[in-house]
Amino acid sequence: RDIIACGFDSNKTFLFSDLDYVGKMYPNIVRIWKSVTTNTVNGIFGFDGTSNIGKIAFPAIQAAPSFASSFPVVLDAKRDSNMACLIPCAIDQDPYFRMTRDVAHKLTTNKQHKLGGKPALIHSKFFPPLQGAQGKMSSSDTNSAIFLTDSAEDISRKIKENALSGGQETKKLQEELGANLEVDVSYQWLRFFLEDDDELEQIGKDYGSGSGEYWSTGKVKAKLIQVLQDLVAAHQERRAKITDEEVHKWMSERCILGSTN
């Protein structure tokens, strides 16, 4: 429901669960298993003799959706498909797809494929937790992130209490030195969530110089609170309208090429 609520087009989007869809991907999963040695997987992911077989087997399951032939109905594709895959991901997922690129030529029968069957990647930036770049977002630490289920009050409290500040300790120092924008979490989050680039630039100038409307940490946190409260509230409203029938529609196997219905 959260993915659907982000506004994707159902005519161009197929959502699937590995547990439900693995049968269609299984031929490619087996091909990847045959192409990658245990030593290779151990070297990439740091597995050893104490790792269970699920860990060793999983990289192939992660890799299989990189190939159009894993979606014979959805993309009307076979192993000779000329389709290319583009994967947006964070850098921690990179090892899976470097492994995939190394064996991709073994999964395509199309020798004219422009990328040799290899997927391409776009690496996205890591999103810093509220405690700063040295911390880590975790579902077990509810104060490390803003969740899409958080109330307006939760959002305000978390940012006020937990968002790492790059501002100075006193008003005098802040006005003299300005804030360190590189470590200030509220400003870094606004770089992701604030749509108005001109306003973001002005906030950076004010906060970085300790002058103007957004001269202080409190002012910048207040702006972030407003932006996130509006964003999360809108998402929650859209999500609440999504029915089980609609979820089933998005996850039903169907061709999405040239769909207009």
Side-chain angles (χ1 to χ4, degrees):
R1 283 182 169 82
D2 283 315
I3 295 174
I4 296 172
C6 287
F8 289 95
D9 184 347
S10 63
N11 294 324
K12 301 177 181 179
T13 309
F14 171 56
L15 302 180
F16 66 93
S17 161
D18 281 348
L19 287 174
D20 297 332
Y21 192 72
V22 69
K24 291 295 178 68
M25 297 190 293
Y26 195 68
N28 277 341
I29 291 172
V30 172
R31 293 182 184 108
I32 297 167
W33 280 338
K34 291 174 64 177
S35 301
V36 182
T37 67
T38 303
N39 284 340
T40 297
V41 172
N42 289 347
I44 294 173
F45 299 101
F47 301 149
D48 56 28
T50 65
S51 301
N52 62 55
I53 58 175
K55 288 183 177 180
I56 297 171
F58 178 73
I61 299 173
Q62 179 88 332
S66 303
F67 302 97
S69 56
S70 291
F71 304 95
V73 174
V74 176
L75 297 178
D76 190 23
K78 298 179 181 179
R79 291 184 67 192
D80 63 353
S81 171
N82 198 41
M83 293 183 186
C85 177
L86 178 63
I87 304 168
C89 64
I91 192 66
D92 61 326
Q93 297 297 302
D94 183 74
Y96 290 100
F97 300 112
R98 285 186 178 272
M99 178 201 77
T100 305
R101 286 172 58 84
D102 285 344
V103 300
H105 63 283
K106 297 183 180 181
L107 275 81
T108 180
T109 59
N110 182 357
K111 303 307 179 184
Q112 304 304 315
H113 193 286
K114 293 181 179 179
L115 299 179
K118 297 179 179 182
L121 278 70
I122 294 179
H123 286 154
S124 59
K125 290 184 178 180
F126 266 126
F127 201 70
L130 287 173
Q131 290 85 351
Q134 301 306 313
K136 182 179 180 180
M137 286 190 186
S138 172
S139 58
S140 62
D141 181 1
T142 58
N143 289 320
S144 66
I146 301 297
F147 297 95
L148 292 173
T149 53
D150 282 345
S151 67
E153 292 75 18
D154 288 334
I155 293 171
S156 178
R157 175 186 57 79
K158 287 183 179 183
I159 293 173
K160 287 179 179 178
E161 296 179 2
N162 301 292
L164 181 70
S165 171
Q168 305 300 328
E169 294 183 358
T170 66
K171 180 180 179 181
K172 184 175 183 296
L173 286 175
Q174 177 65 15
E175 291 175 339
E176 290 176 357
L177 304 175
N180 183 341
L181 303 182
E182 295 302 314
V183 303
D184 191 274
V185 168
S186 296
Y187 178 75
Q188 291 299 319
W189 280 34
L190 283 170
R191 291 179 63 190
F192 284 92
F193 292 116
L194 187 60
E195 294 288 346
D196 190 326
D197 289 341
D198 292 335
E199 185 177 11
L200 177 65
E201 182 180 1
Q202 188 60 54
I203 291 172
K205 288 180 178 178
D206 289 357
Y207 196 29
S209 64
S211 61
E213 180 181 358
Y214 294 100
W215 69 275
S216 69
T217 298
K219 295 288 187 180
V220 177
K221 284 189 174 184
K223 181 62 179 181
L224 178 62
I225 290 169
Q226 174 206 328
V227 169
L228 290 183
Q229 285 177 337
D230 291 346
L231 185 151
V232 172
H235 179 88
Q236 291 173 350
E237 182 178 355
R238 292 192 300 269
R239 189 185 190 281
K241 297 176 181 178
I242 299 170
T243 64
D244 291 341
E245 290 75 16
E246 189 170 357
V247 173
H248 177 73
K249 172 186 174 183
W250 283 70
M251 300 187 73
S252 62
E253 189 178 15
R254 68 214 185 275
C255 183
I256 60 174
L257 299 181
S259 176
T260 58
N261 298 319

